[in-house]
Amino acid sequence: MNLINLINREAPGVPYTLTTFPDGEPHIVLGEINRKYAAHVVCRIANPNDLFVLLQVGNILNRQGVPFSLTIRYLMSARMDRVMSFNEAFSLEIVANAINSIHPTKVNLHEAHSERAVSLINNSQNVLLNPWLSSKKVICFPDEGASERYTSLYRNNPKIVCSKTRDPETGELKGFTIQREIGDYNFKKADNIIVIDDLCDRGGTFMGIAELLRKEYPQASLDIHVVHMVNPLGILNLSKTYDHVVFTDSYKDWSKEMEIPANCTMAPL
């Protein structure tokens, strides 16, 4: 197996050089490839440059007749999984078509936002990374989307499902409510509640959920586990709102850019 790690060029596998032309175009040159074996490419698509580098790698492997599989740790445009308005692009479809154009034999998507990505990207599967907890923990889903995504992984856990409302004109968050409690459990005596979701940007939703949970379950400590942390403000905001914050380095190794707060854990993938 030829391993090509586009996230960490120091990792074992096929070596490569990655340079940037004066006009800003990234350019990759792969080292020696054993064409007797298939390849596996590990990448994140956090921006258009990442996508273009992946397309270049696919072009090289296709021309050399080397079949390859993909692991995509973060998928750009995963949240734009439907047409929002007539004058907006269906971004996920554009990204999916680009990936399909290089013909990977299998694609592992780490925590894609919805199954729409799986339906658009050929030979793909959604790999959920969030089941890190025992069945005794109380799980909180911030909305129905998270509930649909993760309920099957936490069948035996007591669960709280919340909802939020937005101003239809501005998109501003207006309020949060507890929709239902699931399980034969005395939620008022819960000593720890863990909020679960796939992605955090600035953390506005999760801060609102925390305020609601602290009001309804004042005896419980609050943790939050998200996979994709895409904004340093999200780290700072959640660190001030939750007792413990867990996220991965799927989008970026934030420890290289900031001091991670003491109550935050960045789990490497």
Side-chain angles (χ1 to χ4, degrees), residues 2 48 220:
N2 295 287

Side-chain angles (χ1 to χ4, degrees), residues 56-77:
Q56 291 180 60
V57 171
N59 177 268
I60 296 167
L61 297 175
N62 286 331
R63 283 190 293 106
Q64 297 197 21
V66 178
F68 69 96
S69 55
L70 273 177
T71 291
I72 302 177
R73 291 186 176 168
Y74 178 82
L75 181 66
M76 179 179 71
S77 299

Side-chain angles (χ1 to χ4, degrees), residues 200-204 206-207 229-241 245 247 254 257-258 261 264:
C200 176
D201 195 336
R202 296 171 63 93
F206 301 124
M207 294 167 68
M229 181 65 72
V230 303
N231 190 326
L233 286 177
I235 299 173
L236 297 176
N237 287 336
L238 296 189
S239 72
K240 299 172 183 176
T241 313
V245 181
F247 55 93
W254 289 109
E257 298 191 9
M258 63 182 292
C264 296

Side-chain angles (χ1 to χ4, degrees), residues 147-212:
S147 176
E148 292 173 6
R149 187 181 307 113
Y150 295 118
T151 289
S152 63
L153 299 178
Y154 300 104
R155 293 187 184 279
N156 298 322
N157 293 76
K159 291 175 280 289
I160 300 166
V161 182
C162 300
S163 65
K164 59 189 175 186
T165 56
R166 291 183 182 272
D167 186 311
E169 297 292 330
T170 65
E172 180 184 355
L173 291 168
K174 302 294 289 185
F176 300 87
T177 58
I178 293 174
Q179 289 291 93
R180 59 190 184 278
E181 298 173 338
I182 303 171
D184 184 14
Y185 185 82
N186 187 344
F187 287 87
K188 294 298 182 184
K189 292 187 177 181
D191 59 1
N192 179 244
I193 298 173
I194 303 179
V195 177
I196 297 288
D197 211 347
D198 65 321
L199 184 147
C200 176
D201 195 336
R202 296 171 63 93
T205 292
F206 301 124
M207 294 167 68
I209 292 295
E211 183 178 355
L212 172 66

Side-chain angles (χ1 to χ4, degrees), residues 31-235:
E32 187 68 24
I33 301 171
N34 189 333
R35 290 190 287 275
K36 294 181 180 180
Y37 301 102
H40 183 68
V41 181
V42 178
C43 68
R44 61 165 63 100
I45 305 177
N47 52 62
N49 275 3
D50 288 344
L51 178 59
F52 189 56
V53 169
L54 174 61
L55 297 181
Q56 291 180 60
V57 171
N59 177 268
I60 296 167
L61 297 175
N62 286 331
R63 283 190 293 106
Q64 297 197 21
V66 178
F68 69 96
S69 55
L70 273 177
T71 291
I72 302 177
R73 291 186 176 168
Y74 178 82
L75 181 66
M76 179 179 71
S77 299
R79 284 183 288 178
M80 188 65 82
D81 57 3
R82 61 191 183 279
V83 177
M84 303 301 292
S85 72
F86 187 73
N87 291 326
E88 289 184 75
F90 186 6
S91 304
L92 179 58
E93 183 179 58
I94 296 171
V95 174
N97 288 342
I99 295 170
N100 292 337
S101 74
I102 56 176
H103 312 295
T105 58
K106 182 180 180 180
V107 182
N108 296 313
L109 302 170
H110 282 184
E111 291 275 0
H113 186 64
S114 72
E115 288 299 311
R116 193 64 187 278
V118 174
S119 70
L120 290 171
I121 298 174
N122 298 337
N123 307 315
S124 68
Q125 62 178 357
N126 195 5
V127 180
L128 299 180
L129 303 176
N130 231 326
W132 307 329
L133 312 173
S134 75
S135 60
K136 297 180 181 180
K137 297 292 185 179
V138 178
I139 305 298
C140 174
F141 300 130
D143 53 33
E144 290 294 345
S147 176
E148 292 173 6
R149 187 181 307 113
Y150 295 118
T151 289
S152 63
L153 299 178
Y154 300 104
R155 293 187 184 279
N156 298 322
N157 293 76
K159 291 175 280 289
I160 300 166
V161 182
C162 300
S163 65
K164 59 189 175 186
T165 56
R166 291 183 182 272
D167 186 311
E169 297 292 330
T170 65
E172 180 184 355
L173 291 168
K174 302 294 289 185
F176 300 87
T177 58
I178 293 174
Q179 289 291 93
R180 59 190 184 278
E181 298 173 338
I182 303 171
D184 184 14
Y185 185 82
N186 187 344
F187 287 87
K188 294 298 182 184
K189 292 187 177 181
D191 59 1
N192 179 244
I193 298 173
I194 303 179
V195 177
I196 297 288
D197 211 347
D198 65 321
L199 184 147
C200 176
D201 195 336
R202 296 171 63 93
T205 292
F206 301 124
M207 294 167 68
I209 292 295
E211 183 178 355
L212 172 66
L213 294 176
R214 291 198 187 279
K215 177 180 178 182
E216 296 294 328
Y217 312 99
Q219 78 292 340
S221 64
L222 296 184
D223 296 353
I224 182 167
H225 288 194
V226 297
V227 175
H228 308 301
M229 181 65 72
V230 303
N231 190 326
L233 286 177
I235 299 173

